[in-house]
């Protein structure tokens, strides 16, 4: 299964994407508690050592809090740039660590500028150790602080990321299961099988070898249908063989009403195509062309390569494309699979020609490796 | 002798049914049809006793063919289908004969045995009404044009006029004569679009332009094409009620 190719956009409600999502709120709460604790310790320590102005320790811690909060906000804003590294903790850490010198260089001057400023407003001089001592002392504290909070943030981000991935995986599994179910339903095609069985039951009254051949063709087709899911891709040769089996059964039913031509460049037979992708298109040609018109219907199947692209065309006369085509499960499925496998490079187009309806599939040329 | 019509768009399927029917001494296959329209034409022309109608046919499905028949004149109908959950449920519910493809000879013989003893009228009526319920039979009407039948869009019909056992169907372009009762035609076309204005006339509500009161509670109906018709008081309240007057 081509899970590796799938790129389902993250759900809009995925956690960790919104500003102040639940993990961010929890982080904020921890941040506030942490600083309240620091402040309480600071004030206690201050009074124990004989201080009398409570605002002084509050200012010391508060200025640190203010500048650290600015940096935290910046980190939360810039967080998604580093989200890609969340699966590689060391790289994630390294990318954050490169900002550390800048943080030290801005943190100390900013914090001390605030303290000096407020002291000056209060008419007091702020006394502290020498600047070189302060830088070394604050840097060491910052390393520990930075390490602690980076660890916490990593934990939160990793959690949010894993939640998001889980949601995406669930959504992906759901859509895959839906696609498979739809495909299976379309493939079981009770109408086709029961009618084919009736044709065989009619033929065996008059031509036993022919009925026998038709029966084994039907068995081959049923087998191929049941094997779907084992392999996502197949060779165009194999895919066309399935189309031929189907066409042979249908021609037996509508012998007098349908003629088929195959225009396939032998060089493209080795090309890789999604398994059973073309079947619904040929079914539509029969369903809308042959089964609904009274006259003779022509069906053309063409495959050719143009540079890096493989073009496959199935065209039928005898039907008109509805103005507002309600796409059936078969077509929708075909489109979805092309999109999942090739993105923009794969397409299915329906067109109304002068006297026919044409379904053309375009996909990147790749040689099929069994 | 039971006269039978076989309608299926697939030659092998027709061949199988015909072969088995021909083995029966009391059955004569009077016609084979490859699509719905020729099946309807053959029924109209040959009046078979029994019609085997494949459901999935180009143009007109077997159900649509049955829906266009007048129940009193319809043959006994056996629907034939490969897979049609919805219709089959309805057949079961209304005790309507059907064959599921592929069927074997025993199954066909059982059906034939039932047909031989069945009173024609009641079961034909059930088949037609069930077919009408399963299809959009009010949207299209099968009308005779010369020797053949043709489908017309029922919105193009302006009014219906009964005379004896026939109904004249008037459209802007031309009129058609159907051997149906007005009652049954209105049953098929439904009462959303058509309303009876008289014992022997009905109008397409969309084609009505104005009403003019006459004496004794009767009214005159003017159609958009200028045609004047009489609305009898028996149908007045019903019509006005439906037109929101």
């Amino acid at each position: 299964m081509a899970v590796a190719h799938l790129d389902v956009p993250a759900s809009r409600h995925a956690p960790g994407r919104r500003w102040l999502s639940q993990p961010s709120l929890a982080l904020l709460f921890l941040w506030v508690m942490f600083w309240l604790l620091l402040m309480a310790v600071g004030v206690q320590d201050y009074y124990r050592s004989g201080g009398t102005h409570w605002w002084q320790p509050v200012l010391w811690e508060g200025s640190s809090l203010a500048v650290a909060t600015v940096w935290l906000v910046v980190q939360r804003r810039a967080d998604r740039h580093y989200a890609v590294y969340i699966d590689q903790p060391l790289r994630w850490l390294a990318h954050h660590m490169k900002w550390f010198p800048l943080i030290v260089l801005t943190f100390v001057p900013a914090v001390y500028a605030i303290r000096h400023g407020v002291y000056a407003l209060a008419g007091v001089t702020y006394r502290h150790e020498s600047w070189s001592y302060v830088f070394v002392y604050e840097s060491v504290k910052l390393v520990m602080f930075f390490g602690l909070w980076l660890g916490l943030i990593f934990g939160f981000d990793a959690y949010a990321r894993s939640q998001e991935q889980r949601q995406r995986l669930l959504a992906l599994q759901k859509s895959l299961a839906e696609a498979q179910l739809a495909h299976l339903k379309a493939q079981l095609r009770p109408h086709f099988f029961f009618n084919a069985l009736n044709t065989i039951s009619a033929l065996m009254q008059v031509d036993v070898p022919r009925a026998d051949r038709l029966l084994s063709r039907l068995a081959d087709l049923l087998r191929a249908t049941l094997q779907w899911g084992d392999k996502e891709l197949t060779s165009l040769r194999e895919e066309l063989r399935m189309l031929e089996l189907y066409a042979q059964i249908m021609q037996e039913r509508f012998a007098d009403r349908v003629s088929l031509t195959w225009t396939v460049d032998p060089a493209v037979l080795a090309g890789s195509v999604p398994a059973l992708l073309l079947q619904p298109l040929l079914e539509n040609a029969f369903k809308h062309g042959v089964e609904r018109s009274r006259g003779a219907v022509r069906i053309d199947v063409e495959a050719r390569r143009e540079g890096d692209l493989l073009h496959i065309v199935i065209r039928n006369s005898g039907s008109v494309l509805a103005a507002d085509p309600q796409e059936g499960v078969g077509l929708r499925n075909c489109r979805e699979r092309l999109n999942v496998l090739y993105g923009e490079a794969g397409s299915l187009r329906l067109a109304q020609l002068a006297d026919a309806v044409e379904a053309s599939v375009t996909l990147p040329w790749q040689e099929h490796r069994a | 002798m039971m006269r039978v019509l076989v309608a299926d768009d697939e030659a092998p399927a027709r061949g199988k049914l015909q072969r088995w029917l021909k083995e029966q001494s009391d059955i004569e296959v009077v016609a084979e049809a490859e699509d719905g329209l020729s099946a309807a034409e053959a029924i109209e022309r040959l009046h078979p006793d029994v019609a085997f109608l494949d459901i999935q046919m180009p143009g007109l499905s077997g159900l649509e063919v049955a829906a266009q028949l007048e129940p009193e004149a319809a043959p006994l109908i056996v629907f034939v289908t490969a897979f049609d959950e919805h219709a089959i449920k309805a057949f079961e519910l209304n005790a309507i004969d059907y064959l599921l493809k592929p069927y074997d000879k025993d199954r066909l013989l059982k059906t034939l045995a039932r047909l031989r003893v069945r009173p024609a009228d009641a079961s034909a009526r059930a088949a037609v009404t069930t077919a009408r319920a399963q299809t959009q039979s009010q949207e299209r009407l099968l009308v005779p044009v010369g020797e053949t039948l043709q489908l017309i869009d029922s919105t193009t019909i302006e009014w219906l006029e009964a005379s004896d056992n026939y109904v004249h169907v008037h459209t802007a372009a031309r009129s058609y004569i159907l051997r149906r009762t007005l009652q049954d035609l209105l049953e098929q076309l439904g009462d959303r679009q058509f309303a009876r204005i008289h014992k022997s006339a009905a109008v397409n509500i969309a084609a009505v332009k104005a009403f003019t009161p006459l004496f004794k509670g009767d009214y005159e109906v003017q159609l958009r094409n200028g045609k004047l018709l009489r609305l009898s008081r028996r149908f007045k309240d019903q019509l006005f009620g439906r037109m929101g007057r």
Side-chain angles (χ1 to χ4, degrees):
Chain A
M1 206 98 308
V3 174
H5 300 278
L6 292 169
D7 188 22
V8 173
S11 154
R12 245 171 264 144
H13 303 288
R17 279 283 167 215
R18 276 170 304 161
W19 179 235
L20 277 191
S21 58
Q22 264 181 343
S24 287
L25 269 175
L27 194 64
L28 190 70
F29 175 75
L30 278 184
W31 183 256
V32 171
M33 295 312 284
F34 176 79
W35 283 100
L36 279 177
L37 182 69
L38 280 192
M39 247 176 233
V41 170
V43 172
Q44 259 184 354
D45 192 45
Y46 176 80
Y47 276 118
R48 202 173 299 141
S49 53
T52 48
H53 301 289
W54 64 268
W55 61 268
Q56 289 188 352
V58 171
L59 172 66
W60 302 337
E61 300 302 338
S63 54
S64 301
L65 164 64
V67 177
T69 302
V70 169
W71 273 107
L72 178 73
V73 169
V74 171
Q75 194 282 334
R76 297 315 293 159
R77 290 274 173 183
D79 193 40
R80 68 190 51 188
H81 293 295
Y82 301 124
V84 284
Y85 303 117
I86 202 91
D87 295 329
Q88 301 150 281
L90 286 179
R91 277 185 82 177
W92 186 88
L93 208 63
H95 274 279
H96 277 85
M97 288 304 285
K98 74 183 177 207
W99 295 101
F100 188 64
L102 181 67
I103 292 174
V104 173
L105 281 178
T106 52
F107 184 82
V108 177
V111 167
Y112 280 77
I114 294 171
R115 293 183 192 168
H116 276 288
V118 177
Y119 268 79
L121 283 175
V124 200
T125 320
Y126 177 41
R127 264 185 271 276
H128 55 82
E129 317 291 335
S130 71
W131 283 108
S132 54
Y133 178 84
V134 162
F135 256 101
V136 173
Y137 167 75
E138 293 290 351
S139 300
V140 170
K141 266 192 4 183
L142 263 179
V143 168
M144 291 188 285
F145 173 83
F146 198 71
L148 172 68
W149 279 96
L150 223 45
L152 275 171
I153 288 172
F154 179 82
F156 273 97
D157 283 3
Y159 172 76
R161 169 81 165 180
S162 81
Q163 284 291 76
E164 187 188 315
Q165 279 176 335
R166 216 173 68 95
Q167 296 284 342
R168 279 180 62 168
L169 201 64
L170 282 178
L172 196 68
Q173 279 172 343
K174 194 160 159 261
S175 73
L176 258 180
E178 276 169 2
Q180 274 177 329
L181 191 67
H183 195 89
L184 205 64
K185 267 191 190 160
Q187 285 303 316
L188 280 178
R189 300 160 298 183
H191 240 293
F192 167 76
F193 274 104
F194 289 128
N195 272 313
L197 286 174
N198 196 55
T199 306
I200 292 167
S201 139
L203 269 181
M204 80 196 176
Q205 311 281 332
V206 284
D207 190 343
V208 173
R210 213 163 121 209
D212 199 41
R213 266 201 306 279
L214 199 57
L215 193 58
S216 71
R217 251 158 234 166
L218 189 65
D220 283 346
L221 201 61
L222 184 58
R223 200 171 293 121
T225 297
L226 294 174
Q227 273 164 0
W228 187 82
D230 294 358
K231 52 177 183 181
E232 176 73 5
L233 294 169
T234 185
S235 68
L236 185 60
R237 187 192 315 277
E238 195 60 26
E239 181 72 2
L240 287 176
R241 204 177 68 81
M242 297 318 306
L243 288 192
E244 247 177 324
L245 282 176
Y246 176 79
Q248 281 169 350
I249 295 167
M250 292 303 272
Q251 266 185 308
E252 206 59 74
R253 282 172 61 193
F254 299 104
D256 42 343
R257 278 159 54 194
V258 59
S259 63
L260 265 110
T261 53
W262 304 78
T263 316
V264 178
D265 178 1
V268 302
L269 289 175
S272 161
V273 291
L276 295 177
L277 179 88
L278 304 175
Q279 187 103 9
L281 304 180
L282 186 63
E283 279 173 31
N284 274 351
F286 272 98
K287 201 168 130 198
H288 299 294
V290 182
E291 289 181 35
R292 298 219 181 129
S293 53
R294 289 190 278 169
V297 167
R298 207 188 61 247
I299 297 180
D300 302 318
V301 181
E302 295 171 8
R304 63 178 192 281
R305 184 181 165 184
E306 272 172 26
D308 289 339
L309 295 175
L310 176 61
H311 294 287
I312 303 157
V313 172
I314 295 178
R315 196 183 304 119
N316 71 278
S317 66
S319 70
V320 180
L321 211 56
D324 170 31
Q326 279 273 321
E327 286 201 353
V329 178
L331 282 183
R332 209 174 52 234
N333 226 283
C334 185
R335 247 185 245 290
E336 270 168 22
R337 291 179 67 202
L338 282 170
N339 184 32
V340 160
L341 285 167
Y342 308 110
E344 294 281 294
S347 71
L348 162 66
R349 267 186 291 273
L350 295 182
Q352 175 72 57
L353 307 183
D355 60 344
V357 170
E358 181 178 277
S360 46
V361 170
T362 302
L363 49 94
W365 167 264
Q366 272 170 344
E367 194 130 334
H368 182 66
R369 278 180 292 271
Chain B
M1 203 66 168
M2 204 192 291
R3 299 169 69 250
V4 174
L5 165 104
V6 172
D8 195 313
D9 62 330
E10 294 175 39
R14 275 199 309 275
K16 172 180 164 180
L17 182 53
Q18 259 196 334
R19 192 170 316 107
W20 284 344
L21 288 175
K22 280 177 178 162
E23 290 171 7
Q24 306 295 309
S25 56
D26 63 338
I27 287 176
E28 182 197 355
V29 178
V30 292
E32 252 191 275
E34 297 177 23
D35 59 75
L37 207 58
S38 17
E41 278 166 11
I43 293 172
E44 175 81 18
R45 198 174 61 244
L46 301 164
H47 300 288
D49 303 309
V50 177
F52 285 86
L53 299 178
D54 184 39
I55 291 188
Q56 198 186 20
M57 285 191 289
L60 219 56
S61 78
L63 282 169
E64 285 171 316
V65 170
Q68 297 284 344
L69 298 173
E70 160 124 51
E72 318 308 330
L76 284 168
I77 292 168
V78 180
F79 291 108
V80 187
T81 182
F83 183 78
D84 218 320
E85 277 177 303
H86 204 64
I88 289 167
K89 227 173 263 167
F91 298 156
E92 288 287 353
L93 216 62
N94 298 296
I96 290 160
D97 285 313
Y98 67 92
L99 289 173
L100 282 182
K101 287 178 176 177
Y103 49 88
D104 60 14
K105 203 167 171 180
D106 285 349
R107 179 68 184 78
L108 177 65
L109 291 179
K110 252 183 221 158
T111 297
L112 293 178
R114 256 206 308 273
L115 290 173
R116 286 184 183 108
V117 298
R118 177 150 297 190
D121 48 343
S123 62
R125 169 160 281 280
V128 171
T129 48
T130 304
R132 282 181 187 168
Q134 294 289 313
T135 57
Q136 268 87 47
S137 64
Q138 65 273 44
E139 287 172 11
R140 300 193 294 176
L141 182 65
L142 206 54
V143 295
V145 178
E147 289 294 290
T148 62
L149 294 177
Q150 198 180 307
L151 272 176
I152 59 167
D153 186 342
S154 63
T155 55
T156 63
I157 299 169
E158 291 175 337
W159 67 292
L160 303 163
E161 180 186 17
S163 68
D164 299 329
N165 296 323
Y166 293 85
V167 177
H168 296 262
V169 176
H170 301 283
T171 68
R174 55 168 295 181
S175 297
Y176 307 90
I177 303 174
L178 266 74
R179 197 166 50 209
R180 301 266 294 263
T181 62
L182 182 60
Q183 178 69 31
D184 178 57
L185 202 54
L186 287 174
E187 241 165 59
Q188 183 198 323
L189 295 174
D191 59 5
R192 218 160 47 86
Q193 199 183 348
F194 291 89
R196 200 115 180 214
I197 53 167
H198 195 265
K199 192 163 60 84
S200 59
V203 289
N204 183 344
I205 294 171
V208 174
K209 189 181 173 196
F211 297 99
T212 321
L214 299 175
F215 57 97
K216 274 197 189 165
D218 282 4
Y219 276 76
E220 192 173 59
V221 182
Q222 192 188 355
L223 299 186
R224 293 190 193 282
N225 63 9
K227 176 84 187 164
L228 295 174
L229 302 167
R230 199 161 65 85
L231 168 62
S232 77
R233 32 171 211 286
R234 217 178 110 202
F235 296 104
K236 184 197 72 181
D237 292 342
Q238 211 183 340
L239 179 61
F240 283 4
R242 295 239 324 268
M243 295 188 76
R245 283 168 67 123

